[in-house]
Amino acid sequence: MSFSIEVPGEANPLSVQTLYHTLTAASSTDPQQIKSATLQLQNWEKQPGYYSSLQIIFLDTSLPVEVRYLCIIQLKNGIDRYWRKTAPNAIKKDEKNQIRERCIESGTKEPDARLALQNALMVAKIIRHEYPIDWPEAISAIVSNLRLASQSIHSTMELARALTILLEAIKELSTARIQRTRASLQAAAVEVLQVLGKIYFDKVQTWTSFFRHGGDDEGGAIDSIEQSLLALRVLRRLLIAGWDFPNRSPEVQHVWVLLINHFHDMLSLAADGSSSLHKSVQLLVEKHLRQIAKLHLNLAKNHPAGFVLLPGSTQLVSAYWSLIARLGETFGSHALAGFGGQNGKDKDTDDSNVPIMEYLSLKGLLLLRECVKMVFNPAQTFKYQQAQDKDEKARSRQLIKGDLLTEDFAQATMQTLMTQFFVLRPQDLREWEEQPEEWERREEGEDDIWEFSIRSCAEKLFLELMLNYKVQLVPKLLSVFGNVASTQNTNIFLKDSVYGAIGLGAAVLEDEIDFNSFLNETLAREVQANQPGYNILRRRIAIVLGKWLPVKEGLDRPLVYQIFQHLLDKQDPLNDMVVRITAGRQLKNIISPFEFTIEGFRPYCATVLGHLMALIEEVELGETKLALLSTLSTLVQSVEDGIVPFADHIISLLHPLWEQAGTEFLMKQSILGILSSLMSSMKGNSRKYHSLIIPLIDSSVDISSETRIYLLDDAMDLWATVLQQTPAAGIADVVPLVPHLFPMLEVGSETLRRALEMTETYVYLAPSQMLASFSFFLPSFVGLLEHGKREATGLVLAIVDRAIQSALKLGGKDALTTLASQLLQFNLLQTIMAGLRGAHEAHESSGPNRSKTWLDVLVETDYLSILSRLTLASPHLFLDAIQAAVPNEEFNVTIKWLLSEWFGHLDNVSHPEKKKLSCLALTALLQTGQPWMVLHLQELMAVWTETALDLYDEPDSTEADCLVYKDPQSLEGEDETAEKEGERKLLLIDPVHQLDLKSFIRSQLECAISASGGIEVFQAEWLVNVDGDVLQEFGKL
């Protein structure tokens, strides 16, 4: 009879029995049972006693394994979510204690290895939370179990389980960010090392003795080698995380010396025993060597000075180099057998020692790199260093430089790396033919995989030696280069490796080699050679040119372009897939340097572009296609308008690629980038592709689209470019995209700035459509103003400013009245007035309890600019608007504090255009003839004088001020886009650029005089109140 849960979770009280039945259902194969049981478990996980009950079921080894596995997974996940004291529904302290008391001892007795590992992971998570404050005895308890298990000859399983728990605990503690946790681990490290070290060395002694001298306990030897390997894994982690200065610990020094001895002994055993040892034993011995090599490298990375100062470290690195040199003797190819259709076999294929020898050699190369970095590029740290620390660092650098990295060693290393490890291997040649795209990606791709490749790591080490031993190594390299670099030398593999070295050292050798002569006399000839194997040189030549052109000036660029045109030609049989992909990848470096000119490249552009696009269609690997698209993008940017004749071909290539890309979003990002560059180059001609491009933008920025998170930034770039290049006839094409801007205008949006800039562009491009939908923007605008972020506020107010000008231009005062009512309806004007009122109160108060304002000088200037626009358009509209914006205050009170703040702020306005705008607006208020304005006549005259002095060369000048456009036609630029045209038209009707300040002041002053009853009345009632000095300065105008 099947068991299923149909009732709500609350109806099933938690007990061990009901929990067991629910777990049984959850681990069944019935989807309905799994679903209902999962819901029940989710309800129980927040109840007290749930996790301790899970542990009770897990500890019962008589229950089915699948149920117990589900228990420990649930328990482990619960530690992450509910163990912290501050977590919602946190596990109670008593329940935590129950779980802790049973987890270590029970874990050592768990018979199932998978369950034991999950239990160890759970214990480690608890220790991460609890040690050392709430569970100070955690490490001691593990060590105690470890000691007991190691003392019994019948506790093989318990020892392995205890080691697993210790391993996971050290992993967790070593990654803790809290210094106290790491310090507690370091305090217990000596005790752990003593027990762990004894276990490891005893076990190694047991199995090495058996395999060297024989015996009758083979099973015990196998158990010992497995246990020593596990102990070594723990030991490696402990030595790295347990000491900040391992060289100062006598215990670490002792273990270090013994491990070096074991490394040599095991290496000898692995080599000598390759024919006598069983394959499984051989593999275990090699795993020991891998762990010890990891320890050497990790210690050098994490504790460089400590590594060098430990006994025998420099001799150890020398031993690694001997191993590397020995491997180099058989590393590379020396004949073309098996390549290019020739028959042959890889002689190294059956050498079973190669994998471990390669692994250790790779670690040795990485270790040498760390040594070079210690001397020439020591890691910088903000950690306080004691005098002893500084002394050790200096001694370690001196020791490495004096005992290891000598000039002779550097020369020998360079020679070995170049002539032995740069050489392609038989395996490389096979993969070149069988998997060309995958092999090329691995060799030349930008993935950070060099740490896993001997040749790539050798190249990194070679370059660092060249940079730091330039004086000693350059003559040696040039000597080898001189002997190899001639068309008479047909040793392809040697040439490939030496040319590779010349390419790597381009930055060092640029003044040492006559590269133009080498290019003309050697490379240009060799790239045309048709002998078997010369495709290897063709690939290398493409790489070398890609390295040298960015660093060397004055090279024969037309010849380089011809070479790449030739290398990309599929019709030449030697230009196989690897050669052409490499050339396509390196072409990016050829056309991007600062010396690149369109004129020099134009004769080759059509052919190169055709070959490149054909290659993009031909390749299948996504990463390769992406790299070639990157080259195409650079080409489109570099050639600029020269790309126009090929635009149709590029678009026809990219559109199906977009469909094929599917969920390969990097590919789609690259396509969007190319389209953006192409639209920029096409300028007004780009409209012909709107029908293809705008749907891509639409699907990429749509808030409901799943691809938006990956493509938004690149789609926004393309959208902005399309807007900038759209001609007037194509405006209707881009207007449907406007609704996508609304969700981007929220506070905190990552695309906020871009969205605001594009909104402003739309106001220029399609003012009537934007004014019709302006009410949809205003709620977001008000939210941004209230948030008070300076950058967003400035852009919002600039958009509102342009909208006011556009409304006045398109519909006169009626349209502006409609817009003003929308600004009031959505509280934008109310927000502006509230900000100005707060600023006024802050400026009028003083002392410790003075009012504070969030409005800074620039934002306040922008606020007043909006009011200025309304005032200049219609003073009466402005007065009605501010009255409606502050309905609960008398108008006379409002206008009094507003004018006071306005005049007071003008001293802080440094922008000439905005200062003139405010000056014009305040002057326009004179035409109202109201006393509240004429009362400010003295302040107004001071503003007139100050502004005029900024805008005229001479105070008595009769010409218009410097902001008035004398020649409007001069604003028209070549190839003016619709956006620039819209911006120019607004500038031409802007009062700031249309009205002469003096003339405007004169006309408004005459209105004020007339409204007051004539000049005599004006002088008697208003002018008499103006300070004589102010009046005198104004009179000079």
Side-chain angles (χ1 to χ4, degrees):
M1 179 171 146
S2 65
F3 176 83
S4 64
I5 301 172
E6 302 294 346
V7 293
E10 293 80 358
N12 280 288
L14 175 64
S15 68
V16 174
Q17 186 65 25
T18 56
L19 179 57
Y20 171 69
H21 286 303
T22 306
L23 289 165
T24 303
S27 59
S28 71
T29 57
D30 184 350
Q32 182 58 39
Q33 289 194 41
I34 293 173
K35 180 180 178 181
S36 55
T38 301
L39 291 174
Q40 178 65 84
L41 293 174
Q42 289 173 351
N43 178 262
W44 276 340
E45 70 181 12
K46 300 175 183 178
Q47 293 187 22
Y50 173 66
Y51 290 104
S52 57
S53 299
L54 283 174
Q55 190 182 40
I56 290 171
I57 297 173
F58 169 71
L59 295 178
D60 189 344
T61 56
S62 65
L63 298 179
V65 171
E66 58 271 15
V67 173
R68 297 180 63 225
Y69 193 83
L70 185 56
C71 274
I72 193 62
I73 294 296
Q74 289 280 320
L75 183 52
K76 184 183 71 172
N77 293 341
I79 302 301
D80 284 331
R81 290 198 292 267
Y82 301 112
W83 197 271
R84 293 183 185 277
K85 297 174 184 177
T86 55
N89 306 296
I91 301 172
K92 304 299 181 186
K93 185 176 181 180
D94 291 343
E95 189 174 1
K96 287 182 180 179
N97 291 337
Q98 292 177 28
I99 295 170
R100 281 202 316 244
E101 288 170 0
R102 298 181 293 216
C103 63
I104 294 178
E105 186 174 356
S106 62
T108 60
K109 294 179 169 54
E110 173 55 53
D112 189 289
R114 294 177 305 151
L115 298 179
L117 175 59
Q118 295 302 320
N119 183 79
L121 292 169
M122 180 205 69
V123 174
K125 289 179 182 294
I126 296 175
I127 290 176
R128 176 73 174 264
H129 289 297
E130 301 275 283
Y131 183 77
I133 303 300
D134 297 310
W135 197 10
E137 68 278 8
I139 299 298
S140 298
I142 298 174
V143 172
S144 177
N145 277 274
L146 191 61
R147 186 181 286 111
L148 289 173
S150 67
Q151 292 172 353
S152 173
I153 60 173
H154 302 295
S155 57
T156 301
M157 184 194 72
E158 286 87 346
L159 180 59
R161 303 294 184 261
L163 286 169
T164 301
I165 293 173
L166 181 59
L167 174 62
E168 299 304 330
I170 292 175
K171 280 184 183 180
E172 280 287 342
L173 292 176
S174 63
T175 58
R177 294 182 180 179
I178 302 175
Q179 178 61 31
R180 180 184 63 199
T181 304
R182 295 199 301 272
S184 300
L185 171 63
Q186 292 173 357
V190 173
E191 178 189 4
V192 176
L193 182 61
Q194 289 172 346
V195 176
L196 185 63
K198 186 175 187 309
I199 293 170
Y200 168 74
F201 291 118
D202 286 349
K203 297 301 178 182
V204 170
Q205 178 65 32
T206 300
W207 65 260
T208 53
S209 176
F210 175 84
F211 290 118
R212 286 194 182 279
H213 307 297
D216 54 5
D217 188 8
E218 184 177 356
I222 298 297
D223 288 341
S224 294
I225 195 171
E226 291 175 346
Q227 290 165 352
S228 67
L229 178 60
L230 185 52
L232 182 56
R233 291 177 61 199
V234 185
L235 199 58
R236 176 171 67 85
R237 301 263 182 183
L238 180 65
L239 290 174
I240 300 300
W243 287 266
D244 283 334
F245 304 98
N247 55 296
R248 300 178 191 175
S249 168
E251 293 83 2
V252 174
Q253 292 180 18
H254 177 68
V255 170
W256 179 256
V257 171
L258 291 174
L259 283 174
I260 290 178
N261 293 333
H262 283 184
F263 182 72
H264 293 302
D265 292 343
M266 291 179 192
L267 187 59
S268 174
L269 182 63
D272 296 341
S274 59
S275 57
S276 59
L277 291 178
H278 189 274
K279 187 174 182 180
S280 61
V281 175
Q282 176 82 12
L283 186 60
L284 287 169
V285 173
E286 291 178 358
K287 285 183 176 180
H288 279 73
L289 288 167
R290 293 171 191 266
Q291 288 296 321
I292 297 175
K294 281 184 181 180
L295 171 63
H296 296 157
L297 182 58
N298 291 344
L299 200 64
K301 283 184 175 181
N302 291 278
H303 308 291
F307 168 80
V308 175
L309 296 177
L310 281 168
S313 290
T314 53
Q315 293 86 344
L316 174 68
V317 179
S318 297
Y320 267 109
W321 177 246
S322 299
L323 196 66
I324 294 166
R326 194 158 64 247
L327 175 67
E329 295 172 1
T330 57
F331 185 81
S333 299
H334 301 285
L336 289 170
F339 186 58
Q342 301 180 55
N343 295 320
K345 293 184 179 180
D346 178 6
K347 296 180 180 180
D348 297 332
T349 302
D350 299 326
D351 189 351
S352 59
N353 283 329
V354 168
I356 185 61
M357 295 296 284
E358 283 187 17
Y359 182 88
L360 297 179
S361 296
L362 176 60
K363 294 302 177 186
L365 289 170
L366 292 169
L367 195 58
L368 272 170
R369 256 198 105 223
E370 291 301 321
C371 291
V372 174
K373 286 167 64 178
M374 289 179 210
V375 175
F376 298 104
N377 299 291
Q380 301 300 317
T381 176
F382 291 104
K383 184 179 178 181
Y384 176 74
Q385 290 185 322
Q386 303 285 348
Q388 185 180 2
D389 305 342
K390 296 177 181 178
D391 177 64
E392 288 182 350
K393 191 174 181 179
R395 283 196 295 123
S396 64
R397 291 178 65 186
Q398 190 59 41
L399 194 62
I400 285 290
K401 197 168 185 178
D403 291 2
L404 181 66
L405 299 179
T406 62
E407 293 181 7
D408 291 342
F409 179 81
Q411 290 181 359
T413 302
M414 182 207 73
Q415 181 82 9
T416 300
L417 295 176
M418 178 174 61
T419 58
Q420 296 181 352
F421 288 99
F422 288 5
V423 180
L424 295 176
R425 309 178 69 184
Q427 180 182 352
D428 292 312
L429 301 180
R430 283 200 311 275
E431 292 180 0
W432 179 312
E433 292 196 323
E434 296 169 5
Q435 299 175 330
E437 289 188 47
E438 183 61 40
W439 183 84
E440 191 279 337
R441 182 203 64 81
R442 191 168 62 247
E443 289 296 309
E444 299 300 329
E446 296 179 357
D447 295 345
D448 196 14
I449 58 173
W450 62 269
E451 292 186 349
F452 306 99
S453 164
I454 286 185
R455 183 162 53 251
S456 298
C457 187
E459 290 175 352
K460 294 279 185 182
L461 178 57
F462 173 87
L463 181 56
E464 291 187 358
L465 289 174
M466 287 297 298
L467 290 171
N468 295 300
Y469 290 90
K470 179 178 179 179
V471 174
Q472 295 82 8
L473 299 186
V474 166
K476 185 76 173 177
L477 177 58
L478 292 179
S479 174
V480 176
F481 174 66
N483 294 329
V484 170
S486 70
T487 53
Q488 287 74 34
N489 189 325
T490 58
N491 187 335
I492 293 173
F493 292 107
L494 180 59
K495 275 193 171 185
D496 180 65
S497 60
V498 174
Y499 287 4
I502 295 301
L504 288 171
V508 178
L509 299 170
E510 59 171 318
D511 297 325
E512 307 292 337
I513 293 178
D514 183 358
F515 196 81
N516 245 339
S517 298
F518 177 50
L519 171 64
N520 283 274
E521 297 170 10
T522 305
L523 297 184
R525 296 178 183 178
E526 290 180 335
V527 82
Q528 300 176 70
N530 289 313
Q531 290 92 333
Y534 266 74
N535 49 345
I536 295 174
L537 273 189
R538 291 189 180 190
R539 168 185 171 268
R540 180 59 61 188
I541 289 170
I543 296 172
V544 170
L545 292 175
K547 299 285 187 184
W548 272 83
L549 247 72
V551 300
K552 184 68 174 177
E553 298 181 23
L555 293 182
D556 188 349
R557 285 184 166 274
L559 178 57
V560 175
Y561 300 149
Q562 290 180 53
I563 289 175
F564 273 83
Q565 180 178 259
H566 172 65
L567 293 176
L568 288 166
D569 184 6
K570 186 180 179 179
Q571 300 306 313
D572 191 317
L574 276 184
N575 292 337
D576 58 24
M577 182 70 83
V578 171
V579 172
R580 286 182 289 121
I581 292 175
T582 304
R585 196 187 286 269
Q586 294 299 328
L587 180 63
K588 181 177 181 179
N589 298 326
I590 301 301
I591 58 179
S592 57
F594 65 93
E595 279 194 322
F596 176 82
T597 61
I598 302 171
E599 291 71 23
F601 185 67
R602 199 181 301 277
Y604 315 97
C605 183
T607 308
V608 169
L609 190 59
H611 289 332
L612 180 62
M613 289 192 288
L615 183 60
I616 292 173
E617 292 183 272
E618 184 180 355
V619 298
E620 298 177 355
L621 199 63
E623 292 181 44
T624 304
K625 203 178 286 282
L626 197 61
L628 296 176
L629 284 173
S630 178
T631 299
L632 178 59
S633 178
T634 303
L635 185 61
V636 171
Q637 293 174 35
S638 300
V639 176
E640 297 176 352
D641 57 354
I643 204 71
V644 173
F646 315 102
D648 287 346
H649 191 177
I650 295 174
I651 292 291
S652 68
L653 168 69
L654 296 181
H655 197 264
L657 273 181
W658 178 275
E659 300 300 329
Q660 296 167 18
T663 57
E664 293 183 24
F665 298 115
L666 287 175
M667 180 85 68
K668 289 188 171 182
Q669 289 171 3
S670 181
I671 292 171
L672 290 172
I674 295 172
L675 289 173
S676 181
S677 301
L678 187 60
M679 293 303 99
S680 181
S681 299
M682 294 288 293
K683 296 184 170 52
N685 294 325
S686 62
R687 191 201 170 188
K688 63 187 290 189
Y689 304 115
H690 280 188
S691 60
L692 293 174
I693 290 174
I694 290 178
L696 299 186
I697 298 173
D698 182 75
S699 64
S700 301
V701 302
D702 189 345
I703 196 168
S704 62
S705 171
E706 295 180 357
T707 64
R708 185 177 191 268
I709 188 174
Y710 306 104
L711 303 179
L712 181 59
D713 288 342
D714 297 279
M716 290 285 283
D717 289 339
L718 176 57
W719 187 0
T721 303
V722 169
L723 286 182
Q724 291 166 5
Q725 303 302 335
T726 294
I731 291 173
D733 300 341
V734 296
V735 170
L737 294 173
V738 169
H740 292 307
L741 291 172
F742 300 151
M744 300 181 195
L745 297 174
E746 301 300 324
V747 174
S749 168
E750 294 182 359
T751 54
L752 176 60
R753 179 180 176 82
R754 297 292 305 279
L756 288 170
E757 291 173 344
M758 291 169 67
T759 303
E760 185 177 9
T761 300
Y762 267 108
V763 173
Y764 289 132
L765 283 174
S768 58
Q769 295 94 326
M770 289 297 288
L771 287 172
S773 60
F774 207 64
S775 58
F776 295 104
F777 289 92
L778 287 173
S780 297
F781 287 174
V782 172
L784 293 170
L785 292 182
E786 291 174 344
H787 187 258
K789 190 176 180 181
R790 169 72 193 98
E791 186 178 30
T793 300
L795 288 169
V796 165
L797 294 172
I799 293 168
V800 176
D801 185 298
R802 309 298 181 266
I804 292 172
Q805 294 183 72
S806 298
L808 194 61
K809 173 177 177 287
L810 295 173
K813 292 183 181 179
D814 290 341
L816 186 58
T817 301
T818 301
L819 179 59
S821 66
Q822 291 179 340
L823 299 181
L824 285 166
Q825 179 186 349
F826 291 96
N827 294 323
L828 190 139
L829 280 179
Q830 290 89 323
T831 302
I832 289 176
M833 292 298 290
L836 293 172
R837 180 59 183 266
H840 175 71
E841 291 174 353
H843 297 150
E844 292 296 312
S845 60
S846 59
N849 297 322
R850 64 173 295 182
S851 299
K852 294 183 179 179
T853 178
W854 58 268
L855 213 62
D856 65 27
V857 172
L858 296 176
V859 173
E860 184 170 355
T861 300
D862 291 337
Y863 274 13
L864 292 171
S865 295
I866 299 300
L867 300 185
S868 299
R869 289 291 179 194
L870 294 175
T871 305
L872 276 174
S874 170
H876 295 291
L877 175 62
F878 160 72
L879 296 175
D880 292 341
I882 63 169
Q883 212 167 353
V886 193
N888 299 323
E889 187 176 73
E890 290 288 335
F891 173 75
N892 288 334
V893 175
T894 301
I895 198 67
K896 181 179 179 181
W897 67 254
L898 178 59
L899 290 175
S900 174
E901 180 63 22
W902 202 335
F903 278 111
H905 179 73
L906 283 177
D907 287 337
N908 299 319
V909 180
S910 58
H911 195 287
E913 294 182 357
K914 291 185 176 179
K915 190 162 189 173
K916 180 181 176 181
L917 180 62
S918 277
C919 180
L920 291 173
L922 290 170
T923 305
L925 287 175
L926 278 176
Q927 65 185 259
T928 63
Q930 294 296 321
W932 45 259
M933 187 64 218
V934 188
L935 275 171
H936 290 277
L937 187 58
Q938 177 171 308
E939 294 163 278
L940 193 53
M941 284 188 170
V943 170
W944 289 339
T945 303
E946 182 182 351
T947 308
L949 288 174
D950 291 337
L951 300 183
Y952 294 93
D953 294 333
E954 298 294 338
D956 57 352
S957 173
T958 58
E959 295 184 1
D961 68 65
C962 65
L963 293 179
V964 175
Y965 293 139
K966 281 81 174 177
D967 182 15
Q969 292 184 347
S970 64
L971 296 177
E972 297 183 22
E974 295 182 9
D975 301 323
E976 186 178 53
T977 63
E979 178 194 4
K980 293 298 181 184
E981 181 185 358
E983 184 179 359
R984 176 175 56 81
K985 287 180 177 179
L986 281 188
L987 285 174
L988 290 177
I989 64 166
D990 189 343
V992 172
H993 302 294
Q994 192 181 44
L995 299 177
D996 174 54
L997 180 63
K998 285 184 181 181
S999 301
F1000 187 75
I1001 293 172
R1002 186 180 299 112
S1003 65
Q1004 297 303 308
L1005 196 53
E1006 289 172 355
C1007 290
I1009 292 171
S1010 176
S1012 67
I1015 187 64
E1016 292 81 4
V1017 177
F1018 186 75
Q1019 285 180 335
E1021 293 185 4
W1022 304 113
L1023 206 56
V1024 71
N1025 298 318
V1026 178
D1027 181 83
D1029 291 339
V1030 174
L1031 194 59
Q1032 183 180 359
E1033 289 299 318
F1034 174 68
K1036 293 179 180 178
L1037 296 177

